[in-house]
Amino acid sequence: MRRLLCVLCGLFLGLGPAIAQSPDFKSFDLGNSKDIPQVLSIAQDDINHLYFGTKKGLYHYNGVEFQLVQLNDSVNEVEITALTNANGHIWVGTSEGLVFQVNQSSAIVNDRITNALDARVNSIAVLGDMMAIATYGQGIFIVRPDTLIQIQVEDGLPDDYTYDVIFHDNRLWVGTDGGIAELDLVSLACVVHSMRNGLPDNIVQSLAVWDDHTIAVGMYDYGVSFLDTRSYEFRIEFNAEHPWQHGVIEDMCCSKDGLLWVATKDAGVITLSESVNGLNWRSYSEINGITSNRTNAVFADAEHNVWIGTRKGLTLYKGSGIEYLLSNEGVIGLNIYDVLVDQARNLWLASEAGVVKYSHNQTGAEIIELILQNDKDKSLQIVSLFEASDGTIYMGSLGSGLFTYQGERGIEKIGEKEGLFNPNVMDIAEDLKGRIWLATLGDGVFKLEGGRAVQIEETKGLASNYIYCLSIDDEQRLWIGSDGGGVGIYDCHEGYWIPSMVEELSDATVYSITHAGNGDVWFATEKKGLFRLDEGILSQVGEEMGLRSSEILGLESSYSGGIVAMHGLGLDYLALGSKSFKPFTIEKEGFSFEPNLNALHAMHGDEVWVGSINGAVKVKLDQERHESLTPNVSITNLRVQYEPRELIPKYDYNFSESHFIFDFLAIWMKDPDMIRYQYMLEGFDKQWSFETEGRVATYSSLPPGHYTFYVRASNENGDGLYPPILRTPSLF
């Protein structure tokens, strides 16, 4: 083994997002382009309609259109600074100290509360019959049936300027200019958490629930810290040594995928997520499609979308579960030959530029390192990446042998002097004894032990020396996929060849092999398609299980034991226990998906990275769980003889009333244009209607009878998972 010269181990460091990442953002202006209202607050009601508080009033969104809610004179055209859903009602707070309930068309002002307030309402929270209101300069107000209590500094509050209130862990928490106030729900006794006991900054602008016993604390100067509500210890992520670099925090929320979304005053939106090394952060701004870098509010809705209120309208993050990692600068290289996520959740890419590592420093800032740089003539091509149990990164190449990386020890090369006389390393695996196994093109399989490479003889078990893939099962059997020679099986512990269990593939070119969580072995072949070995029985898998293509270029077992098949149309995923594959289409406008052979890596959380000739793509396989949420459908209007009628259950209509029109609507914020409806009038229709995009059903000249109208909706999955059927009034 010899250490490479530093010429081959060039290093490039960069802070911040030097790559183009393209999550799904969609923008709305809520009004005309010349007069876009500033969005200050967001809430959602029990039927999934959304409400947006702006500087110019309150907007309602039913998934199809935005409407300015026409309120009475006392609350019209006011600045809506706080919104919350409480017991089926939307509560609204304004900059003038007004507090009221609202439905889709009217408001009910609570004079008892409003008359007591003389300050801007910053936040409202409700738990049962208890409401808490944070104000700017008048402390907080606690509202219970027949009781209104004001709590200020003289009552134990650290400051009368309060920004946020949340109920969590059976207590009320208040963010103020003097730290965090913790109030007992019965006695309203107050405990203060401030810089005196570990809080980095007393000005607390936002609070959000992080987990069952942790609150995320958004501060004016020091970003985000976390308070353990049992031990009262602060987990400090940013301080003077590792400063928060994104400015003032305006709002925070936690999405269903475990991300903390942070709205900042002028740096766009930041997402924070946990990793082995602490918090990772990612920044989204106008470049990514947000309407403005000056953000005011963030809100996670019932469909797991995130809404961002800005100084120039509204942005929706649709959470599609697919993100694209591209390079426009040529430093990283677009053609990604292999992908790896190591134990520390760092991302490694083998590209035309060399090997690139993405990591994060202690402040969460992204660091990009060019670990192994390609030659000027592009002769170095790394095609396989692997992390051993001891943390060593192995990099197999076409034409240049094997490289290893061990942090401070740098890059080392393993080649002919170490016994690896074939320089083409297509795949890498490790057994339980820590021995490394190498697949080569032309000289079969090598075993790497103690720094020496030893060839495993072909004649005892392989029909071809050209090896594409390796996979080791729980019994420490090495499964070997070859070019035209089928599958070989080698006992890693005992050192002998095992008779083939898949003689049907003896002349096949096997590109990829993987093992499912239930013990099944899967094989991707060049011309014969996809095969599964289940308890000794080999069967071909195709369209009957939802597989979209037989030209599989990579197989991988997901973290939960399912099977991921990669091909030119995207990914097909067979969850453990499922009977059919779930399709994931990766190609989109501006991005042509052409995957590289075996450039596929599964990671924790059922996420996979894919390498293609146009960049890398991350796919969340569990987005199926999110997208299987069905649209919330309701009947919005009934017209009889063309006249509006109230929806009354079991209503008797006159003989002359025989013309009925039903309007209905399903809420699917992510993509309302993909909703499809079916309806049926029981007593008249014999079956459901054909699927339609229309939201109106008309029945003319109905004879006397007993009728019930049903409507159901499905989203873009087209999987027939409908919500409970909703009924209109029965018609007699």
Side-chain angles (χ1 to χ4, degrees):
M1 183 179 295
R2 59 187 176 87
R3 186 71 50 84
L4 285 186
L5 297 175
C6 60
V7 174
L8 187 58
C9 184
L11 181 66
F12 170 81
L13 289 177
L15 294 181
I19 51 181
Q21 298 176 346
S22 308
D24 252 340
F25 286 106
K26 180 179 180 180
S27 294
F28 305 88
D29 57 21
L30 296 173
N32 61 66
S33 58
K34 295 182 180 179
D35 192 21
I36 301 174
Q38 183 178 159
V39 178
L40 305 174
S41 52
I42 308 170
Q44 188 171 33
D45 66 18
D46 288 353
I47 60 172
N48 291 351
H49 289 203
L50 284 159
Y51 295 81
F52 301 97
T54 78
K55 277 185 170 288
K56 297 181 179 181
L58 180 66
Y59 284 80
H60 164 250
Y61 181 53
N62 62 6
V64 177
E65 59 183 353
F66 291 89
Q67 289 185 335
L68 181 64
V69 179
Q70 299 299 318
L71 307 174
N72 58 45
D73 293 339
S74 63
V75 295
N76 231 9
E77 293 293 323
V78 296
E79 188 175 317
I80 308 298
T81 52
L83 291 170
T84 193
N85 179 359
N87 305 321
H89 301 287
I90 296 294
W91 281 89
V92 183
T94 77
S95 60
E96 299 175 357
L98 300 174
V99 176
F100 55 90
Q101 294 178 27
V102 66
N103 59 28
Q104 295 177 24
S105 59
S106 63
I108 303 173
V109 176
N110 192 316
D111 293 329
R112 181 168 61 88
I113 301 175
T114 296
N115 291 338
L117 303 182
D118 189 26
R120 172 190 175 102
V121 177
N122 282 330
S123 178
I124 303 173
V126 176
L127 179 66
D129 63 358
M130 182 177 181
M131 175 185 291
I133 303 171
T135 71
Y136 192 71
Q138 293 295 321
I140 65 170
F141 289 82
I142 303 298
V143 185
R144 286 179 170 139
D146 303 320
T147 305
L148 177 65
I149 302 173
Q150 184 178 12
I151 300 177
Q152 296 182 288
V153 170
E154 52 265 34
D155 304 302
L157 207 64
D159 200 283
D160 286 340
Y161 289 88
T162 61
Y163 300 101
D164 203 3
V165 284
I166 63 170
F167 288 99
H168 182 57
D169 213 2
N170 296 316
R171 283 160 283 179
L172 173 65
W173 304 84
V174 186
T176 80
D177 260 354
I180 302 169
E182 173 194 353
L183 279 75
D184 182 86
L185 298 186
V186 178
S187 67
L188 299 181
C190 183
V191 176
V192 176
H193 307 278
S194 66
M195 294 176 68
R196 293 183 177 180
N197 57 332
L199 184 66
D201 181 2
N202 273 345
I203 303 178
V204 177
Q205 302 257 106
S206 182
L207 300 170
V209 176
W210 182 247
D211 61 33
D212 290 344
H213 300 289
T214 308
I215 291 174
V217 182
M219 297 162 289
Y220 191 87
D221 283 327
Y222 284 103
V224 180
S225 292
F226 296 89
L227 172 62
D228 188 313
T229 58
R230 295 166 298 182
S231 66
Y232 297 123
E233 294 181 354
F234 285 97
R235 173 183 158 192
I236 309 301
E237 296 291 341
F238 305 95
N239 49 38
E241 184 178 353
H242 302 292
W244 171 259
Q245 301 174 347
H246 310 289
V248 176
I249 292 176
E250 298 285 1
D251 194 19
M252 299 189 303
C253 76
C254 287
S255 58
K256 296 296 190 297
D257 55 1
L259 293 178
L260 179 67
W261 290 76
V262 182
T264 70
K265 187 175 182 179
D266 52 21
V269 171
I270 311 299
T271 61
L272 301 175
S273 60
E274 291 280 12
S275 74
V276 176
N277 294 330
L279 281 184
N280 290 339
W281 65 264
R282 181 174 293 176
S283 173
Y284 299 116
S285 63
E286 295 173 1
I287 296 175
N288 304 102
I290 295 178
T291 52
S292 171
N293 288 341
R294 305 185 72 179
T295 59
N296 302 312
V298 284
F299 178 81
D301 70 17
E303 295 173 12
H304 315 302
N305 307 307
V306 175
W307 297 81
I308 305 165
T310 78
R311 300 292 179 94
K312 294 182 180 180
L314 183 68
T315 299
L316 166 64
Y317 172 71
K318 298 191 290 184
S320 69
I322 299 178
E323 295 190 17
Y324 301 84
L325 184 61
L326 313 175
S327 170
N328 299 321
E329 310 248 338
V331 175
I332 301 164
L334 283 175
N335 201 345
I336 308 299
Y337 304 118
D338 202 10
V339 189
L340 169 71
V341 178
D342 65 22
Q343 299 171 36
R345 302 293 295 275
N346 301 314
L347 173 65
W348 297 71
L349 300 177
S351 77
E352 58 192 13
V355 176
V356 182
K357 174 187 175 185
Y358 296 89
S359 60
H360 294 81
N361 64 16
Q362 290 180 305
T363 67
E366 189 174 62
I367 300 174
I368 304 173
E369 301 174 77
L370 188 56
I371 298 295
L372 185 59
Q373 189 171 10
N374 203 344
D375 307 70
K376 291 182 179 180
D377 59 1
K378 304 293 183 182
S379 61
L380 177 65
Q381 184 176 338
I382 301 296
V383 294
S384 56
L385 295 172
F386 180 81
E387 182 186 25
S389 55
D390 64 0
T392 300
I393 303 296
Y394 288 83
M395 298 168 277
S397 74
L398 280 180
S400 301
L402 180 70
F403 301 89
T404 65
Y405 177 78
Q406 293 178 299
E408 294 181 358
R409 292 186 61 180
I411 299 287
E412 295 179 346
K413 182 176 180 179
I414 298 174
E416 190 170 354
K417 294 180 86 174
E418 291 74 33
L420 184 61
F421 50 82
N422 187 301
N424 304 304
V425 180
M426 294 296 293
D427 200 10
I428 307 167
E430 180 184 22
D431 64 25
L432 286 179
K433 291 185 177 181
R435 295 174 297 194
I436 301 299
W437 300 81
L438 308 174
T440 71
L441 284 181
D443 286 297
V445 178
F446 286 76
K447 177 177 67 175
L448 184 64
E449 191 174 17
R452 297 291 303 175
V454 178
Q455 184 187 27
I456 306 301
E457 294 183 20
E458 171 206 14
T459 55
K460 293 184 179 180
L462 284 177
S464 171
N465 273 329
Y466 290 82
I467 311 301
Y468 286 116
C469 60
L470 303 173
S471 182
I472 298 178
D473 63 20
D474 291 340
E475 298 179 27
Q476 295 302 287
R477 295 176 299 190
L478 179 68
W479 296 71
I480 304 164
S482 68
D483 186 349
V487 177
I489 308 172
Y490 186 80
D491 189 304
C492 295
H493 280 341
E494 301 300 329
Y496 63 85
W497 291 97
I498 299 172
S500 177
M501 303 179 190
V502 285
E503 288 295 339
E504 299 92 330
L505 302 180
S506 60
D507 61 346
T509 293
V510 180
Y511 282 147
S512 189
I513 304 174
T514 195
H515 294 78
N518 61 1
D520 291 353
V521 190
W522 292 75
F523 310 91
T525 69
E526 181 184 23
K527 295 180 180 179
K528 296 185 177 183
L530 181 64
F531 290 83
R532 173 173 60 183
L533 182 65
D534 179 5
E535 296 184 350
I537 300 175
L538 185 71
S539 60
Q540 190 169 17
V541 176
E543 294 180 356
E544 75 284 352
M545 289 187 64
L547 191 68
R548 292 177 293 166
S549 174
S550 61
E551 298 179 4
I552 308 299
L553 293 175
L555 291 173
E556 184 81 327
S557 177
S558 71
Y559 189 80
S560 60
I563 293 298
V564 184
M566 178 180 68
H567 48 72
L569 299 177
L571 300 181
D572 288 343
Y573 176 52
L574 183 69
L576 191 62
S578 177
K579 295 182 179 180
S580 62
F581 283 88
K582 175 75 176 180
F584 292 86
T585 299
I586 294 177
E587 189 164 305
K588 67 170 188 173
E589 184 178 353
F591 180 83
S592 176
F593 181 61
E594 298 180 45
N596 281 311
L597 182 65
N598 287 328
L600 182 65
H601 179 84
M603 56 184 289
H604 180 79
D606 270 352
E607 297 179 344
V608 294
W609 278 96
V610 183
S612 80
I613 67 171
N614 295 316
V617 182
K618 183 173 75 171
V619 180
K620 293 183 179 180
L621 300 174
D622 65 349
Q623 66 178 284
E624 176 183 3
R625 172 173 58 87
H626 299 327
E627 292 183 353
S628 64
L629 294 169
T630 49
N632 191 346
V633 63
S634 61
I635 299 163
T636 56
N637 293 295
L638 169 64
R639 285 168 284 171
V640 181
Q641 303 302 118
Y642 300 101
E643 295 294 327
R645 291 290 184 91
E646 184 179 357
L647 288 168
I648 303 174
K650 296 184 179 180
Y651 189 78
D652 291 332
Y653 292 89
N654 296 327
F655 176 78
S656 60
E657 296 175 320
S658 61
H659 187 88
F660 294 84
I661 302 174
F662 300 95
D663 298 301
F664 40 85
L665 177 67
I667 308 298
W668 188 245
M669 299 296 180
K670 179 179 167 183
D671 200 341
D673 293 336
M674 296 302 294
I675 294 176
R676 300 294 182 267
Y677 298 91
Q678 288 182 294
Y679 56 85
M680 178 174 64
L681 186 63
E682 188 178 67
F684 182 80
D685 294 323
K686 294 183 179 180
Q687 59 187 13
W688 288 96
S689 70
F690 292 111
E691 284 195 352
T692 176
E693 298 177 15
R695 303 195 304 272
V696 179
T698 302
Y699 292 89
S700 300
S701 302
L702 283 176
H706 183 184
Y707 305 99
T708 304
F709 182 75
Y710 297 86
V711 62
R712 61 188 186 182
S714 63
N715 56 27
E716 72 270 32
N717 293 321
D719 51 16
L721 293 176
Y722 300 105
I725 296 170
L726 301 180
R727 303 184 180 192
T728 65
S730 297
L731 311 179
F732 294 89

